[in-house]
């Protein structure tokens, strides 16, 4: 997650070559993504954010955080030179780092949540299963990334072949249809049932039987969509008279997608009592559109304003460590606020400042840890 240095791309993709320096737009995308992930976890695990319309508008946008992470990973890996030995080493390193953080996090989060460790659940938790006694479910993202990395050599081989690349695009589109159409059917069923007063069957649910990738299928779609970032950009450039017109359209599409997701969230809040979240949000086609539009805007960024450059680079290069640390820091902040009776509910601005502080503290710890002998392995993906 924190290696943004691109190796030389395949020969047929040489036109997509970029500088070997850090890619500012990707650091910016990762910084936004990690902020959004921590923001939504902060909401649920502190209780400091009031359930208002405006606060739900802000939280709805966080649904794009995880898709952006997958897209960035796809963009980097699909367009870089592949080494089987290095890739295998990367997978093994990720497995050991993940196990180490699971072992570290379990007693710390148990203490912060004032819960006893249920040792019967520990083996399945370490092997990738759930552990519901304390909130350790956020490790699912690394599990999904590992699942993609396992099949990545096949994806990369197909992608590097000019004909195979086209076939991979077709397969990804079909896979996306099988996943996102089901969620679209769920939403349509709920809306029709609500306004008609009758139970409407979900006729599209059976389509999911053809999704052989199961729970992580949508993660692969975002990953591959990121890998095709250059191709999507080229297609857009052919259909717009100027880069300015293209970017205005992308920004408007992103705003429209956010608005549609917020409208869906308000509907689910009224009918299902859902707050700050969207049911099956990652599998929603509007989220996919929002992620692609934002990603297309980000990959055009070659320079961040000098005042923000160091911060964005520090965050973008340490997202793995930030991700592993963030929930522990959220719970520490929660306990400190409650211990000193600072507030119970706070305006959104204060909450955003606290989230930003958590991101920066986690980035600093990751930066220091990455330079400390032995411990540095915990922070290098």
């Amino acid at each position: 997650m924190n290696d943004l240095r691109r190796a030389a791309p395949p020969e047929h993709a040489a036109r997509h070559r970029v500088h070997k320096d850090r890619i500012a737009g990707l650091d910016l995308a990762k910084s936004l993504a990690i902020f959004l992930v921590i923001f939504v976890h902060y909401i649920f695990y502190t209780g400091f954010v009031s359930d208002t319309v405006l606060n739900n508008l802000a939280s709805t946008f966080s649904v794009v955080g995880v898709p952006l992470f997958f897209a960035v990973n796809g963009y980097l890996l699909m367009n870089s030179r592949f080494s089987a030995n290095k890739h295998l080493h990367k997978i093994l390193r990720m497995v050991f780092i993940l196990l180490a953080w699971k072992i570290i996090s379990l007693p710390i989060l148990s203490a912060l949540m004032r819960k006893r460790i249920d040792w019967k659940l520990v083996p399945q938790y370490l092997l990738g299963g759930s552990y519901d006694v304390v909130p350790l479910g956020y490790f699912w993202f690394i599990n999904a990334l590992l699942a993609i990395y396992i099949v990545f050599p096949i994806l990369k081989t197909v992608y590097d072949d000019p004909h195979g690349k086209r076939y991979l695009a077709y397969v990804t589109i079909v896979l996306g249809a099988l996943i996102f159409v089901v969620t679209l059917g769920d939403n349509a069923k709920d809306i029709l049932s609500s306004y008609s007063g009758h139970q409407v069957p979900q006729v599209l649910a059976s389509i999911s039987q053809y999704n052989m990738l199961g729970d992580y299928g949508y993660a692969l779609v975002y990953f591959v969509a990121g890998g095709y970032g250059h191709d999507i950009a080229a297609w857009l450039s052919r259909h717009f008279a100027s880069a300015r017109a293209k970017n205005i359209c992308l920004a408007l599409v992103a705003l429209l997608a956010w608005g549609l997701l917020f409208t869906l969230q308000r509907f689910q809040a009224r009918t299902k009592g859902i707050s700050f979240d969207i049911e099956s949000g990652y599998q929603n086609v509007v989220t996919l559109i929002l992620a692609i539009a934002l990603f297309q805007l980000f990959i055009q960024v070659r320079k961040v304003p000098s005042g923000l450059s160091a911060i964005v680079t520090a965050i973008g290069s340490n997202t793995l460590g930030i991700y592993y640390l963030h929930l522990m820091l959220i719970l520490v902040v929660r306990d400190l606020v409650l211990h000193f009776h600072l507030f119970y509910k706070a305006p959104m601005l204060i909450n955003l400042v606290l989230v930003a502080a958590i991101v920066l503290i986690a980035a600093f710890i990751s930066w220091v840890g990455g330079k400390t002998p032995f411990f540095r392995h915990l922070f290098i993906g």
Side-chain angles (χ1 to χ4, degrees):
M1 289 176 66
N2 59 341
D3 183 8
L4 294 186
R5 294 186 181 275
R6 298 267 320 275
E11 291 180 5
H12 78 273
R15 65 185 181 277
H16 299 327
R17 188 185 304 275
V18 297
H19 298 295
K20 290 185 179 180
D21 295 331
R22 294 194 67 82
I23 304 171
L26 298 188
D27 274 333
L28 201 58
K30 293 177 73 178
S31 297
L32 174 63
I34 197 66
F35 183 91
L36 294 175
V37 168
I38 294 178
F39 174 56
V40 73
H41 289 172
Y42 171 93
I43 290 174
F44 287 115
Y45 293 117
T46 66
F48 294 158
V49 179
S50 300
D51 188 5
T52 66
V53 173
L54 287 178
N55 289 347
N56 276 274
L57 174 63
S59 67
T60 298
F61 188 70
S62 66
V63 73
V64 80
V66 166
L68 280 177
F69 269 130
F70 285 122
V72 169
N73 273 273
Y75 181 91
L76 291 170
L77 291 180
M78 299 287 277
N79 296 289
S80 298
R81 182 176 289 119
F82 177 72
S83 167
N85 289 336
K86 289 182 179 179
H87 187 71
L88 177 60
H89 183 263
K90 184 180 182 70
I91 290 176
L92 293 175
R93 187 170 67 246
M94 285 183 65
V95 169
F96 286 120
I97 292 173
L98 176 60
L99 284 173
W101 276 107
K102 283 188 172 184
I103 293 170
I104 293 169
S105 301
L106 179 58
I108 294 176
L109 288 175
S110 297
L112 289 170
M113 297 292 291
R114 298 165 183 82
K115 300 284 187 179
R116 284 189 170 187
I117 296 176
D118 188 340
W119 295 103
K120 297 190 299 295
L121 299 177
V122 170
Q124 71 176 35
Y125 156 69
L126 292 177
L127 292 173
S130 62
Y131 183 88
D132 298 327
V133 180
V134 294
L136 287 161
Y138 62 95
F139 285 118
W140 76 267
F141 172 79
I142 308 298
N143 295 340
L145 204 57
L146 279 169
I148 293 174
Y149 281 13
I150 289 171
V151 300
F152 177 72
I154 298 174
L155 298 176
K156 179 62 172 169
T157 301
V158 176
Y159 180 83
D160 284 351
D161 179 82
H163 298 293
K165 186 175 183 179
R166 185 166 62 251
Y167 300 147
L168 178 60
Y170 294 155
V171 170
T172 304
I173 291 171
V174 172
L175 175 63
L178 294 175
I179 296 167
F180 294 101
V181 166
V182 171
T183 304
L184 188 64
D186 287 337
N187 294 335
K189 173 187 73 70
D190 292 339
I191 293 170
L192 290 173
S193 297
S194 176
Y195 287 101
S196 69
H198 300 284
Q199 193 64 31
V200 177
Q202 211 311 31
V203 296
L204 298 176
S206 299
I207 295 178
S208 62
Q209 298 296 317
Y210 302 100
N211 172 19
M212 62 181 293
L213 297 179
D215 292 341
Y216 294 151
Y218 68 88
L220 184 62
V221 172
Y222 288 116
F223 181 90
V224 175
Y228 281 82
H230 286 300
D231 300 271
I232 296 172
W235 183 87
L236 290 171
S237 295
R238 290 195 298 269
H239 290 79
F240 286 92
S242 66
R244 176 183 171 84
K246 179 183 72 172
N247 291 338
I248 290 174
C249 183
L250 286 170
L252 290 175
V253 167
L255 286 172
L256 177 61
W258 184 11
L260 289 173
L261 288 171
F262 176 62
T263 302
L264 177 62
Q265 196 285 321
R266 288 291 82 197
F267 170 78
Q268 292 180 352
R270 180 174 61 83
T271 58
K272 299 185 177 183
I274 297 174
S275 299
F276 305 117
D277 198 12
I278 301 170
E279 193 174 52
S280 301
Y282 299 147
Q283 295 99 313
N284 193 298
V285 68
V286 183
T287 304
L288 176 65
I289 294 170
L290 175 59
I292 291 175
L294 288 175
F295 189 69
Q296 284 298 309
L297 290 171
F298 279 124
I299 62 175
Q300 298 177 65
V301 177
R302 286 294 174 261
K303 188 176 181 180
V304 177
S306 57
L308 294 175
S309 179
I311 295 175
V312 170
T313 300
I315 295 172
S317 59
N318 288 287
T319 49
L320 182 66
I322 294 171
Y323 189 78
Y324 282 132
L325 289 166
H326 80 276
L327 192 55
M328 290 180 271
L329 292 175
I330 286 174
L331 295 179
V332 168
V333 168
R334 181 202 64 181
D335 288 351
L336 288 173
V337 169
L338 295 177
H339 177 77
F340 291 103
H341 306 288
L342 299 179
F343 55 80
Y344 179 64
K345 298 289 184 181
M348 179 56 77
L349 180 60
I350 292 177
N351 288 304
L352 291 175
V353 169
L354 287 175
V355 173
I358 290 169
V359 172
L360 292 174
I361 292 170
F364 177 75
I365 295 173
S366 299
W367 177 76
V368 173
K371 294 182 178 298
T372 305
F374 181 73
F375 292 104
R376 65 185 299 270
H377 298 290
L378 292 173
F379 300 95
I380 300 176

